[in-house]
Each structure stands twice: as C-alpha cells, then as structure tokens.
C-alpha cells in the first residue's frame, strides 16, 4: 500500500455563516491513483453534504503513520537512520518520513520518541513540522487482508508470472537489483556470483 495525499475542494460554511470555497488535504492508503480517488470520495460523502471534487492527488513519501487517540493535528517528521560504512568508516544517513498525529509539536516529538524507542538503529529527527492534512483514512485490518488476498491472486496469474520472469531474465549476470515500493517490503534480485554461498 501507498499513502496518497488528496485535495478536496468544496463550499464550506464558516462560523459567521458565510460560504467559502476551500481545499482540504486528506491521506488515504491505496494501490493506485484511481483507487485513492474512489476511497477519499466515499469517505468524504459522510462529512460533506453538498458537492465536492477531488482536485489533486499525489503519492507521499510517508513510510509509516504514528496515530494517537488524543491528537487533532498531523505532523511530518524527517528521520535519518545512521549507519557506518564498513569500508570507509564514513557515516551514512538514510531519510524516512513519518506522519504523526498529535495535539502540538511537543506532543508530536514525544510520540515520535515513544514510537522509535524499540529501534535497533541509531536515528535522529532532522525536521518536524505541522502539515495541512485534515484527516487520514486507512483500510481496516479485514479490508487490508482482503486487498492482500486480491494482490496474491493477481500475482499468481500466468500472465503476471511470465512478465516477472521476463524482467528477471533481463537483468544481466553480476548485478543486484532492489525494487522498492511504499507499503511493501523491498524485493531483491541478486545475480552476483557467489551470493548463494553467502545466503547459506
């Protein structure tokens, strides 16, 4: 699954009774832009009585969400995982982004520290800032299981397996390729000589 940011434009009634066109941002988890638009449309029908439209969609860089029951804002955290290169001894940083639900920035920082407490790797929070995200809509556990089952069925189809084999065969001997996709574990195709011994 990926996290999509969707912009919803509609006419909002302000506290003074006036009507104003506004665009609000929402996050949904989905496999595609089409699914993201469908999901956010279904969710927003419960909250907006009049007409509205999805005016923007983009795939976010968030790798994980940190939710809490007592937060009404969403904060973006850039977290660097720190490793040491064995050959050069140089420090390397790899950035990951988290979306944190909290009351304020201090609460967000506390929630991040609690969430990262069990991490085995060294890390640092490089940046933490409030977003304009209004809410996040995630699949329930059962819905997620159903989606995973559907995906397994798709991957098991002969056409998909043939396409995957053609892709693997197109990778030259001696190369190692990592395929990354948000919401999924990395897939590694290793054609370097001797890797079978290393894995044993």
């Amino acid at each position: 699954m990926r996290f999509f940011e969707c912009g919803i434009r509609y006419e909002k009634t302000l506290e003074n009774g006036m009507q104003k066109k506004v665009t609000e941002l929402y996050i949904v988890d989905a496999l595609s832009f089409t699914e993201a638009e469908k999901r956010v449309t279904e969710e927003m029908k419960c909250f907006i009585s009049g007409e509205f439209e999805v005016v923007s969609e983009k795939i976010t860089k968030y790798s994980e969400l940190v939710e809490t029951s007592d937060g009404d804002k969403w904060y973006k955290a850039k977290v660097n995982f720190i490793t040491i290169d064995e050959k050069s001894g140089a420090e390397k940083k790899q950035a990951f982004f988290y979306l944190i639900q909290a009351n304020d920035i201090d609460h967000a920082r506390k929630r991040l520290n609690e969430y990262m407490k069990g991490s085995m790797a060294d890390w640092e929070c490089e940046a933490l800032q409030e977003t304009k995200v209004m809410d996040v809509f995630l699949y329930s556990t059962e819905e997620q299981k159903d989606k995973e089952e559907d995906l397994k069925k798709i991957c098991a189809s002969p056409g998909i397996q043939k396409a995957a084999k053609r892709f693997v065969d197109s990778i030259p001997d001696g190369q190692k390729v990592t395929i990354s996709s948000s919401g999924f574990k990395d897939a590694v195709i290793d054609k370097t000589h001797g890797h079978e011994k290393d894995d044993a």
Side-chain angles (χ1 to χ4, degrees):
M1 284 289 176
R2 296 176 176 177
F3 297 115
F4 289 78
E5 181 184 275
C6 301
I8 301 294
R9 188 162 179 77
Y10 70 103
E11 203 164 77
K12 185 176 185 178
T13 304
L14 305 178
E15 291 180 2
N16 60 9
M18 298 289 286
Q19 299 281 322
K20 183 183 178 182
K21 280 275 189 183
V22 298
T23 301
E24 296 178 342
L25 300 178
Y26 295 87
I27 300 287
V28 295
D29 55 345
L31 291 171
S32 66
F33 285 100
T34 304
E35 184 185 356
E37 182 173 354
K38 182 181 176 183
R39 289 209 59 222
V40 77
T41 300
E42 288 299 316
E43 294 286 355
M44 296 312 296
K45 282 180 182 176
C46 304
F47 301 102
I48 301 175
S49 56
E51 292 185 1
F52 65 89
E53 60 179 331
V54 180
V55 293
S56 66
E57 285 183 274
K58 71 175 185 179
I59 299 172
T60 71
K61 293 182 178 180
Y62 300 123
S63 56
E64 292 183 52
L65 300 183
V66 183
E67 295 180 275
T68 181
S69 58
D70 59 347
D72 57 358
K73 297 177 183 176
W74 292 91
Y75 292 81
K76 178 182 179 180
K78 181 180 180 182
V79 175
N80 292 324
F81 284 88
I82 304 166
T83 57
I84 305 297
D85 188 285
E86 293 180 6
K87 293 181 180 178
S88 66
E91 187 177 270
K92 293 172 65 178
K93 294 181 180 180
Q94 186 173 8
F96 289 87
F97 296 88
Y98 295 78
L99 188 61
I100 306 167
Q101 187 177 19
N103 290 319
D104 53 43
I105 198 159
D106 290 331
H107 185 212
R109 190 173 289 109
K110 181 181 177 184
R111 290 289 295 117
L112 177 63
N113 287 331
E114 288 171 352
Y115 188 79
M116 300 297 292
K117 195 175 286 183
S119 175
M120 301 295 288
D122 291 332
W123 63 277
E124 64 177 11
C125 180
E126 181 179 318
L128 183 62
Q129 63 189 52
E130 186 177 346
T131 72
K132 293 182 179 180
V133 171
M134 300 297 292
D135 208 346
V136 174
F137 302 112
L138 301 178
Y139 278 115
S140 67
T141 305
E142 284 305 312
E143 288 175 319
Q144 184 69 33
K145 284 181 182 176
D146 289 343
K147 281 286 172 187
E148 288 173 0
E149 286 301 317
D150 290 343
L151 189 61
K152 284 179 183 177
K153 288 176 185 175
I154 292 169
C155 292
S157 72
I160 294 295
Q161 290 188 349
K162 283 180 183 177
K165 186 178 185 308
R166 282 197 301 271
F167 173 73
V168 172
D169 290 345
S170 71
I171 298 169
D173 282 341
Q175 287 193 5
K176 181 178 180 180
V177 175
T178 302
I179 304 168
S180 298
S181 180
S182 179
F184 295 93
K185 290 182 179 179
D186 287 353
V188 179
I189 301 168
D190 193 345
K191 287 194 171 182
T192 56
H193 298 295
H195 72 273
E196 296 89 352
K197 290 181 181 177
D198 296 338
D199 294 341

